[in-house]
Amino acid sequence: MASPAWTRIPRLETTFTRTLLFGWVLAQVARAAGTPVRAYNLTWKSTNFKTILEWEPKPIDFVYTVQISAGLGDWKSKCFYTTDTECDLTEEIVQDVQQTYSARVLSYPPRNLDTIGSMGDPVLQNAPKFIPYLETKLGQPTIQSFEQVGTKLNVTVQDARTLVRRNGTFLSLRDVFGKDLRYTLYYWKASSTGKKTAKTDTNEFFIDVDKGKDYCFSVQAVIPSRRVNQKSPESLIECTSQEKSVFKETFFIVGAVVFVVIIFIIILSLSLYKCRKTRAGQNGKERSPLNVA
């Protein structure tokens, strides 16, 4: 007599569950035995051209090697047989930051390190293509100097240094990007929250402000031509202080006056000293006896 259909369903579910469990156990055994696992989640991390490739998982009894290629060039191996899950590729990509780079992560069983090539191909995974000039993130800019005089505020931005070199010299962001690099200034009265903006394709801002009012501001690097990673984080906020400016002006004025007075006293003292010396010489001559022929 055939079994009812409803009695076969639990058996099918039980068989399926056992199959999944058996497969999971086999995977764990293989992993524990040193079978390499294909890397995944390969990600480029790059700021001001400092470039690192990251991936997962953390290896258990196997190792990684990273390879990188510029354009259609040959593959170059880096970070040989490492248990890390990141590799610094800055040295390679700064050779030509406008080039398109390919990278891949190879997984090897450690027991085959002396015989790699004779034991078959490693397990490998490709990373997304990477163009440093278009994709590296812009680091937080630094305000080099600022000054508020009357109704004029002058802010100078310091370009970050990169690891890109030309003729043995490390280049700044401005050297690399030229006019593609711009800066945005956000500024507001210290007593207000309403922000205004100013933009420049140089490193200096000259803006009109209200006389006698203190201002706070920050700057941001921008590459408008990009589709992604257009903007950097904003710099630290700086604020002017009119009280300090008045104090500085007063200090310099008082200092200048004191300096002039000191010079005048020195000159007067020298003049009086010379006069006294001259008079003393004349008095000596008058008191000396006449020579007798």
Side-chain angles (χ1 to χ4, degrees):
M1 181 176 178
S3 300
W6 62 269
T7 62
R8 294 198 298 269
I9 294 175
R11 292 179 183 177
L12 292 173
E13 292 179 349
T14 301
T15 302
F16 181 71
T17 302
R18 288 177 178 175
T19 301
L20 288 178
L21 180 60
F22 182 68
W24 180 84
V25 170
L26 286 178
Q28 297 304 311
V29 170
R31 189 171 182 178
T35 301
V37 174
R38 188 185 304 275
Y40 61 89
N41 197 22
L42 278 65
T43 307
W44 295 93
K45 302 288 186 181
S46 181
T47 300
N48 290 349
F49 300 106
K50 172 72 173 179
T51 303
I52 295 173
L53 181 66
E54 297 180 350
W55 64 89
E56 296 182 81
K58 189 71 178 174
I60 299 177
D61 201 23
F62 66 94
V63 292
Y64 294 113
T65 292
V66 175
Q67 292 184 332
I68 185 170
S69 173
L72 299 177
D74 296 333
W75 290 98
K76 185 174 183 180
S77 295
K78 306 287 290 186
C79 302
F80 297 90
Y81 315 132
T82 180
T83 56
D84 294 332
T85 55
E86 65 177 33
C87 183
D88 191 336
L89 298 175
T90 304
E91 183 180 351
E92 299 304 318
I93 68 99
V94 296
Q95 303 301 318
D96 183 356
V97 296
Q98 300 200 40
Q99 182 63 264
T100 299
Y101 290 89
S102 300
R104 59 191 184 187
V105 177
L106 290 71
S107 305
Y108 291 102
R111 64 177 179 274
N112 294 339
L113 292 184
D114 296 330
T115 57
I116 288 175
S118 63
M119 300 297 291
D121 295 331
V123 177
L124 64 87
Q125 181 63 47
N126 292 317
K129 302 289 187 182
F130 180 68
I131 305 175
Y133 191 88
L134 299 179
E135 299 180 61
T136 192
K137 292 182 179 179
L138 302 175
Q140 184 182 46
T142 301
I143 295 174
Q144 180 177 332
S145 63
F146 62 91
E147 183 181 25
Q148 182 179 347
V149 179
T151 60
K152 297 294 181 181
L153 175 62
N154 172 219
V155 179
T156 302
V157 184
Q158 181 176 338
D159 284 325
R161 287 285 167 186
T162 73
L163 295 177
V164 182
R165 283 178 291 185
R166 182 186 299 156
N167 298 326
T169 301
F170 291 107
L171 304 183
S172 69
L173 282 182
R174 175 67 65 192
D175 294 329
V176 177
F177 288 107
K179 293 297 183 180
D180 283 347
L181 176 65
R182 301 180 185 179
Y183 288 104
T184 299
L185 177 73
Y186 302 97
Y187 64 101
W188 60 95
K189 291 181 183 178
S191 58
S192 172
T193 57
K195 288 187 178 182
K196 295 182 179 180
T197 62
K199 298 180 180 180
T200 182
D201 57 5
T202 68
N203 291 64
E204 288 191 305
F205 293 91
F206 297 93
I207 58 175
D208 295 323
V209 295
D210 293 338
K211 187 175 182 179
K213 299 292 184 179
D214 291 329
Y215 281 81
C216 295
F217 48 88
S218 64
V219 296
Q220 184 177 50
V222 183
I223 301 182
S225 60
R226 283 183 168 185
R227 293 183 178 181
V228 296
N229 297 332
Q230 283 189 335
K231 300 179 180 180
S232 74
E234 292 183 28
S235 70
L236 298 178
I237 295 174
E238 298 280 5
C239 295
T240 63
S241 176
Q242 293 303 290
E243 291 182 0
K244 289 183 179 180
S245 298
V246 171
F247 174 78
K248 285 183 180 180
E249 291 178 4
T250 304
F251 175 80
F252 284 123
I253 292 173
V254 172
V257 171
V258 171
F259 178 76
V260 171
V261 170
I262 291 174
I263 295 298
F264 175 76
I265 292 174
I266 292 173
I267 294 174
L268 182 60
S269 298
L270 290 174
S271 299
L272 291 175
Y273 173 76
K274 289 182 179 179
C275 289
R276 288 176 182 175
K277 191 174 181 180
T278 301
R279 289 178 182 177
Q282 291 178 350
N283 291 336
K285 289 181 180 180
E286 292 177 356
R287 293 176 182 176
S288 62
L290 296 174
N291 293 328
V292 178

